[in-house]
Amino acid sequence: AVLMPNTITYNSAISACEEAADWQKALRLVTTVGQAVLEPSTITYSSAISACKRDTEWQKALRLVGAMGQAVLEPGTITYSSAISACEKGAEWQKA
């Protein structure tokens, strides 16, 4: 039997990208979730934002927060905390 990935599978893969500091792959996976007719979750975006903060990609982290609004997802405390950390690491604390 062939197993099809679901949102939880993608969230796990994005979290692994975060641990590997591979924000580019994390962002590709977020895009893939939407193309796979799956609903990205707050965890999907929060994990990708965390991956961005590890490499000071604060602009991409903030874009992801904005994309959550377009996806009608409410950012949570972890999401905002990760986005603020990304701004801090990028020396853009004013953006936070």
Side-chain angles (χ1 to χ4, degrees):
V2 176
L3 295 176
M4 298 301 294
N6 59 25
T7 303
I8 295 169
T9 308
Y10 279 103
N11 290 349
S12 296
I14 293 167
S15 290
C17 292
E18 173 193 352
E19 292 299 317
D22 192 347
W23 63 268
Q24 294 166 327
K25 189 170 284 179
L27 294 182
R28 281 195 301 272
L29 286 168
V30 170
T31 302
T32 303
V33 170
Q35 294 171 346
V37 194
L38 295 171
E39 293 291 323
S41 67
T42 301
I43 295 169
T44 307
Y45 284 99
S46 295
S47 296
I49 291 166
S50 289
C52 291
K53 83 175 179 188
R54 290 192 173 239
D55 211 12
T56 65
E57 291 293 329
W58 62 272
Q59 293 169 320
K60 290 180 178 40
L62 293 181
R63 276 192 221 121
L64 285 168
V65 173
M68 288 182 76
Q70 294 172 347
V72 194
L73 288 171
E74 186 70 34
T77 305
I78 294 171
T79 307
Y80 286 126
S81 177
S82 294
I84 290 168
S85 292
C87 291
E88 174 191 16
K89 291 183 185 227
E92 293 291 336
W93 55 269
Q94 305 93 331
K95 305 287 187 203

